[in-house]
Amino acid sequence: MTTPPTLFLTVGLPGTGKTTEARRVEVEERALRLTKDEWVKALYGLANPPSASDVIEGRLIEIALRALELGVNVVIDFGLWGRDERSALRKAAADLGAAVKVLYFQLTPTEQRQRLDRRQAEEPHTTWHMSDEELATWAAIMSIPTPGELDGSEPVDDPPAGFATWDEWREHRWPASIS
């Protein structure tokens, strides 16, 4: 009997270490790494159009789910700030018989700012400028994973009102194309 594949979900604000950890997981766990920022940079360069973000995430998620079907470990490397996003992905992975590991990263705002400034100075082609106001807004809207999400002991929530299934919600949250 073979070991089921694992879906690794990186959760955290910009600059907290998600991509560094995703690169480690990619090597150590032989996982397909799907890093949204790399795709946005490749497709849009200096632009970071909000209309493209959800579609790119959705395409990467579809690739991730197909890889899990094929028995390949996957690490999704984008913030996943919402519990509903994480719940939808946990449910999709479980439906495929895959395990899920939620990896949460946090820093103080000062440490985060220092890392982002260093990245902007040393590797400007990999990032975009982020203001302190943006960082504060994002921190305020992020849903921090619960201990049960992190250790896998907490059941997946029911889909939000208006959605019969998590698949339906996922298709709504991550549209197939830019409208």
Side-chain angles (χ1 to χ4, degrees):
M1 183 163 187
T2 62
T3 304
T6 300
L7 175 63
F8 297 87
L9 303 175
T10 63
V11 179
L13 295 168
T16 56
K18 296 180 307 297
T19 300
T20 299
E21 179 65 8
R23 288 180 178 137
R24 185 197 65 75
V25 169
E26 174 184 32
V27 171
E28 292 181 10
E29 302 293 337
R30 299 178 48 93
L32 173 64
R33 179 175 55 88
L34 299 170
T35 299
K36 179 182 81 172
D37 288 353
E38 291 174 356
W39 286 78
V40 174
K41 279 290 187 180
L43 293 170
Y44 296 98
L46 295 177
N48 188 5
S51 62
S53 183
D54 291 345
V55 174
I56 290 171
E57 287 181 9
R59 296 300 87 218
L60 295 177
I61 288 165
E62 292 306 313
I63 292 168
L65 296 178
R66 179 63 182 132
L68 291 171
E69 282 180 322
L70 296 171
V72 176
N73 292 334
V74 177
V75 57
I76 293 181
D77 176 24
F78 37 95
L80 300 170
W81 300 344
R83 180 180 172 98
D84 49 2
E85 295 172 321
R86 299 186 301 269
S87 293
L89 295 174
R90 289 174 61 209
K91 175 66 170 136
D95 289 347
L96 295 171
V100 177
K101 291 188 180 176
V102 178
L103 309 171
Y104 174 56
F105 304 89
Q106 64 180 351
L107 294 173
T108 67
T110 300
E111 292 171 311
Q112 181 187 22
R113 176 83 269 158
Q114 289 170 345
R115 280 189 178 192
L116 290 171
D117 289 347
R118 186 171 49 250
R119 183 191 307 162
Q120 186 71 51
E122 295 172 0
E123 300 179 278
H125 62 284
T126 67
T127 192
W128 298 270
H129 173 75
M130 294 169 238
S131 71
D132 289 341
E133 294 76 25
E134 287 173 312
L135 295 176
T137 298
W138 298 334
I141 63 173
M142 181 172 174
S143 172
I144 295 171
T146 64
E149 275 186 281
L150 295 172
D151 69 17
S153 66
E154 193 171 295
V156 174
D157 300 330
D158 290 332
F163 297 95
T165 67
W166 277 113
D167 288 340
E168 184 182 316
W169 182 90
R170 198 175 73 241
E171 290 171 12
H172 174 79
R173 167 66 181 84
W174 291 294
S177 64
I178 297 174
S179 302

